[in-house]
Each structure stands twice: as structure tokens, then as C-alpha cells.
Amino acid sequence: MTRVLSCIQPTGDVHLGNYLGALRNWVAGQHEKDVYHGIVDLHALTVTTQPNVVGEATLSLAAMLFAIGLDPNVATIFVQSHVPEHSQLGWVMECTVSFGELSRMTQFKEKSARREADFVSAGLFTYPALQAADIVLYDADEVPVGDDQRQHIEITRDIAIRFNSRFGDTFVVPAAVTPTAGARVMDLQAPTSKMSKSSDTDSGCVYMLDDPKAIEKKFKRAVTDSEAVVAYDLKEKPGVSNLLDILSAASGTPVATLADQYSQYGPLKSDAASAVISMLEPIQARYHELMDDQAELARLLAVGADRAREQASATLSRAYRAIGLLSN
Ligand code: TRP
């Protein structure tokens, strides 16, 4: 069966764009392929300077992944730092990639430039080596990624190929694949930009844990246009189209049907809000249940860590053996 790996950093709260655009497909995908999902807390360390932040965010993200329906008995859901082989193979990967290759990574150049006055950790620079370890440890055939991560998969392939040619065939060379298309969810206040937590204010971003009142308010204030015609037209009517896309994704009704059903923005907004509220209700309930039962959450994560370690330790041994490190 095809082995798929995708990872997510525990930074910031999960929002509707993450869910409808990607995470919801993880849930459907768990039954189609052999999927591994890592919460990559060690990657978050590249920009962490405060204590107790990453662990909290990791726990919350884990609860959310289970709450949306990822089943720990079907998919392997694990926390990166619970599987020490990531750090161990990460070093091997650092020694298999060149300074020049890492220097050419667009994401490093952008991130380090953006942090100009801030601390730029060496980890930010070597980040792709750790990511390569994440991937090859699981013999992943496929890594579903957006365009921003393509270069990281390319460098992973280069590293795996180089290692295999130096030390003998050891790693599966992964392929970047385009994730199953989810809904495109735009910022409610700036409907030509993707919904994201980095917007200046939160008013255009609906978080998975927002309460019904907050969700209603955000939809009520959503930016539309002055035409007063409900139609799906991404170019001319991005705000209205976004509301239709969200309502469609939350209710399962096709966009074209919805566009015919509404003639005014008010009812469209309030129905989109209601559909999102009912979609999120059971997810929020399960999330809070898990957050209130940390022993159960820890148990679920241990199931994933055990399965992940079994695979990861076998791959690490294979790599050490291929290099010919003295065994103990
Ligand atoms: N770099 C990825 C991101 O920022 C996160 C990530 C870390 C990842 N390791 C991975 C993604 C392995 C896919 C596979 O989104």
C-alpha cells in the first residue's frame, strides 16, 4: 500500500481554511492509503524562545486532529519529539546535504530576511535536513504538499539519492504529490487572500474553536460588494464567492445550486455561519472532551509514537548499517 507522510507544525490555532482546505481530506485519506501524520514540534523550535509554548500547542493540535476524525487505529498520528530517530537521522541528513544547497532554499532566504532584527537560529538554516529525515524515516512514497514546500521535497530527494549512491540503496526516494483539492477558503475581510492566522486582525479568520457568537459576527461582517446580486464569480465577486464556497463545503450542497437559492447577502451570510457552526459543533465537543481527559490524549499519542518508532528505528538502523558505523 502506498505510504504517505504529511506533517504539520504546532504553531497557531487551526482555522477553517486549514480544515476545509486540507485537514478534512486527511480524514478521508486515512482509509485509502497508509498514512503517517507527524506533529513536528522540533521544527517549531527553530522560532521558539519561550518556555511551555510548544508543548501546549502540540497537545491542542493533537486533540484537534483526533476531534476531526483521524483515527489512531487507522492513521499513525505522532509527535516528532516522541520519536528520537528524527533528531538522530536529522544529523545524518545534515551531513548529506551541502551548505550551498541549504543556502539556496527560498524559504530560508525569506524567513531569515523577515527576521532581520530577530534571532536567526542555525536550525532555521538546517531545517530541510530535519524535514528530509521526517520523510525518509517512514519510507514514504508520497508527500502531499503545497507549492511552498515543493523545494523541501526536492532537496529531500536529492539527499536520499546522494545517500543511496554513497552508501548503497537505503532510502525510498519520495515524490511530492498535489494534495486532494479541498475548498478554497479566503479571508472574510480580504477575500482575495487566503484565510490565514497571520492577517492583521482575526475578524476575517474563523478558528475551529470559535464560539457560535463569534462565528456569526465574523460572517455578518464579511466583506462582499455593492452589487446585491448573489453569483459565483471569483474575479468580480470574491467575497460572495467565498461565502458560497464555504457554505457549499460546510453543507455539501454544490455552489451552483446555492447561487440560485439566494438573492440577498444577509441570508447567505447567516446560513453560511449556521452551516459552519453545526459542522464545528461535534468537533468542538470532542476536542474539549479530549482536552479534559489528558490521560486519554496521552494514550492516543502513545499508540502513534509506538507505531512510528517501530518504523523509524528500523530505518535508522538500516542507515547506520549502510554507513558502517560501529555497532554497539
Ligand atoms: N516544513 C513543513 C511546513 O512548514 C512542515 C514539515 C516538516 C513537513 N516536516 C515535514 C511537511 C515532512 C511534510 C513532510 O509546512
Side-chain angles (χ1 to χ4, degrees), residues 4 6 16-33 35-37 65 68-71 74-75 77 144 178-185 208 249 279 283:
V4 183
S6 25
L16 201 60
N18 304 132
Y19 178 60
L20 294 176
L23 296 179
R24 193 157 74 160
N25 287 331
W26 289 17
V27 180
Q30 68 186 332
H31 300 290
E32 287 155 20
K33 293 179 178 171
V35 300
Y36 281 68
H37 294 300
L65 294 182
I68 63 172
L70 283 168
D71 180 345
V74 177
I77 316 291
T178 308
T180 320
R184 47 187 291 298
V185 179
M208 295 297 280
M279 176 180 72
I283 296 176

Side-chain angles (χ1 to χ4, degrees), residues 13-223:
D13 295 328
V14 182
H15 57 69
L16 201 60
N18 304 132
Y19 178 60
L20 294 176
L23 296 179
R24 193 157 74 160
N25 287 331
W26 289 17
V27 180
Q30 68 186 332
H31 300 290
E32 287 155 20
K33 293 179 178 171
D34 182 16
V35 300
Y36 281 68
H37 294 300
I39 301 177
V40 288
D41 54 348
L42 298 176
H43 275 97
L45 290 192
T46 54
V47 292
T48 297
T49 52
Q50 303 291 325
N52 303 326
V53 176
V54 183
E56 282 295 313
T58 302
L59 199 64
S60 167
L61 179 56
M64 185 53 77
L65 294 182
F66 294 127
I68 63 172
L70 283 168
D71 180 345
N73 296 311
V74 177
T76 303
I77 316 291
F78 65 94
V79 175
Q80 188 184 29
S81 67
H82 293 177
V83 184
E85 286 80 2
H86 287 259
S87 310
Q88 294 174 286
L89 192 67
W91 174 252
V92 176
M93 300 288 96
E94 281 181 42
C95 297
T96 316
V97 68
S98 73
F99 181 82
E101 283 169 314
L102 290 177
S103 310
R104 285 193 288 277
M105 300 307 285
T106 317
Q107 192 169 78
F108 172 73
K109 287 195 263 185
E110 281 173 9
K111 281 196 181 169
S112 53
R114 238 184 293 139
R115 296 176 70 80
E116 46 176 35
D118 267 333
F119 182 78
V120 176
S121 68
L124 207 56
F125 184 68
T126 58
Y127 180 117
L130 183 59
Q131 180 161 352
D134 299 340
I135 297 169
V136 299
L137 270 178
Y138 298 99
D139 291 337
D141 305 295
E142 298 182 350
V143 188
V145 284
D147 286 340
D148 65 321
Q149 289 297 317
R150 292 242 155 203
Q151 204 183 18
H152 284 158
I153 311 306
E154 244 351 278
I155 203 171
T156 299
R157 290 170 58 85
D158 293 342
I159 295 172
I161 290 168
R162 181 173 300 132
F163 186 99
N164 287 347
S165 77
R166 279 185 184 166
F167 302 114
D169 213 9
T170 306
F171 298 128
V172 172
V173 179
V177 298
T178 308
T180 320
R184 47 187 291 298
V185 179
M186 311 304 274
D187 190 293
L188 294 177
Q189 288 299 314
T192 51
S193 322
K194 263 170 71 171
M195 184 175 281
S196 91
K197 50 199 163 207
S198 52
S199 320
D200 289 347
T201 70
D202 276 352
S203 51
C205 183
V206 177
Y207 292 99
M208 295 297 280
L209 296 174
D210 275 350
D211 61 42
K213 284 238 152 3
I215 297 174
E216 272 165 10
K217 198 160 142 192
K218 287 175 182 178
F219 276 97
K220 198 176 234 163
R221 295 186 178 170
V223 167

